[in-house]
Amino acid sequence: MGRFDGRVAVITGAARGIGFGTATRYAEEGASVAIVDLDETAATEAAAKLPLTEGAQAVGVGADVSDAASVDAAIERVVTELGGIHVLVNNAGITRDNLLFKMTEEDWDLVMGVHLKGAFLMTKAAQKHFVEQKYGKVVNISSISALGNRGQANYSAAKMGIQGFTRTLGIELGPFGINVNAVAPGFIATEMTDATAARLKMDVEEFRRLNAEANPVKRVGHPEDIAAAVTFLSSDEASYVTGQTLYVDGGISLGT
Ligand SMILES: NC(=O)c1ccc[n+]([C@@H]2O[C@H](COP(=O)([O-])OP(=O)(O)OC[C@H]3O[C@@H](n4cnc5c(N)ncnc54)[C@H](O)[C@@H]3O)[C@@H](O)[C@H]2O)c1
């Protein structure tokens, strides 16, 4: 018996990185999985790699989470092809880092569009089904950058916004059998942090080593670390937990 037998989990931005690691965990635990990502081919290829259990299915859906029509079509397609929706993980993300004086309006709008508007549109489209069936789980991906991070005014504002969004939906949707929580990752070794290393003109391994050294548990995080927290928060074991943000960061946000 897996914790997600008979459930359908939709994970955005899951063609790679944290999203793919999380999709893999849902598949291992019995769910049918929809991988939603910008590029349909990448999403379909990732879906084909999932370790599905017997009777479960996977689908890759090309969609831009910041576009309402694209989101509505994606959710309807998942419901038709996989027979429903029970779990939504709002994970799709981008960075457009710069100090405030160099940050463009486009940098601001793009980041807000994917993280905040994307989570809003996806959750709104899914909640219709969740309310009808009086069951649903939403996990939003925030970040330790919500607490403030030089060069990330746009990303930090979006990621703290995600926490307010999560708390509010915890209040609004609780009466309908829907739990809404957030996970705030610390440094996770993915293409996103590799791109940060490149921007800082640092070697990827050296960047990871320095981040591990600065962390109380002396290692960097991996997509599996986030997948474990996300699946717990969307499982029936966590049905009395809602509106919360769980920091999964090796303790770095505790300060020194
Ligand atoms: N890696 C980290 O250290 C870290 C730390 C804290 C939070 N996060 C957050 O975790 C999430 C996943 O990060 P990651 O490191 O796996 O990043 P990643 O760059 O490896 O993957 C992000 C995925 O999101 C997809 N995506 C981007 N814009 C999209 C859109 N408009 N519609 C649909 N899909 C879109 C990308 O195509 C990509 O597949 C993001 O929300 C990120 O902000 C990451």
Side-chain angles (χ1 to χ4, degrees):
M1 268 289 281
R3 285 186 296 179
F4 299 99
D5 284 352
R7 303 288 189 212
V8 173
V10 178
I11 302 107
T12 68
R16 69 184 200 202
I18 292 171
F20 182 69
T22 302
T24 301
R25 184 74 191 262
Y26 280 110
E28 283 167 356
E29 296 208 42
S32 285
V33 177
I35 288 194
V36 176
D37 210 298
L38 278 176
D39 176 40
E40 172 115 5
T41 306
T44 306
E45 282 170 9
K49 287 188 210 143
L50 292 174
L52 297 173
T53 59
E54 210 183 314
Q57 293 170 270
V59 64
V61 179
D64 178 351
V65 298
S66 65
D67 179 85
S70 178
V71 163
D72 290 346
I75 293 288
E76 289 318 309
R77 200 177 135 196
V78 170
V79 170
T80 306
E81 291 188 22
L82 298 183
I85 173 170
H86 305 96
V87 176
L88 169 66
V89 183
N90 286 310
N91 164 82
I94 57 166
T95 53
R96 291 290 183 278
D97 298 352
N98 233 325
L99 292 174
L100 182 66
F101 78 101
K102 287 196 227 163
M103 189 174 283
T104 64
E105 191 177 347
E106 190 191 8
D107 292 335
W108 180 268
D109 288 344
L110 278 171
V111 168
M112 291 298 156
V114 177
H115 294 275
L116 264 186
K117 189 176 173 191
F120 160 68
L121 292 174
M122 286 295 298
T123 310
K124 195 172 170 194
Q127 66 88 37
K128 186 170 57 136
H129 301 279
F130 291 163
V131 169
E132 268 169 24
Q133 69 200 14
K134 292 257 184 301
Y135 184 95
K137 307 284 182 188
V138 181
V139 183
N140 298 314
I141 304 301
S142 176
S143 167
I144 53 165
S145 296
L147 301 171
N149 196 27
R150 189 179 167 80
Q152 290 198 311
N154 50 1
Y155 185 80
S156 172
K159 290 306 200 185
M160 193 50 110
I162 286 281
Q163 296 190 21
F165 179 66
T166 301
R167 291 173 65 95
T168 299
L169 296 192
I171 296 166
E172 285 188 18
L173 300 179
F176 301 98
I178 303 164
N179 297 72
V180 186
N181 288 291
V183 169
F187 186 103
I188 309 298
T190 68
E191 287 181 48
M192 184 178 271
T193 40
D194 290 354
T196 307
R199 200 169 48 250
L200 298 172
K201 299 192 179 13
M202 282 182 73
D203 173 66
V204 165
E205 288 310 319
E206 179 64 0
F207 189 54
R208 290 183 184 181
R209 192 188 66 73
L210 288 172
N211 274 279
E213 202 173 81
N215 192 289
V217 304
K218 299 297 168 200
R219 69 171 177 90
V220 296
H222 298 284
E224 296 77 16
D225 295 307
I226 305 308
V230 170
T231 48
F232 167 67
L233 288 170
S234 62
S235 72
D236 291 335
E237 291 171 292
S239 61
Y240 204 49
V241 183
T242 200
Q244 303 303 306
T245 297
L246 177 60
Y247 281 76
V248 180
D249 64 353
I252 192 81
S253 60
L254 298 171
T256 48

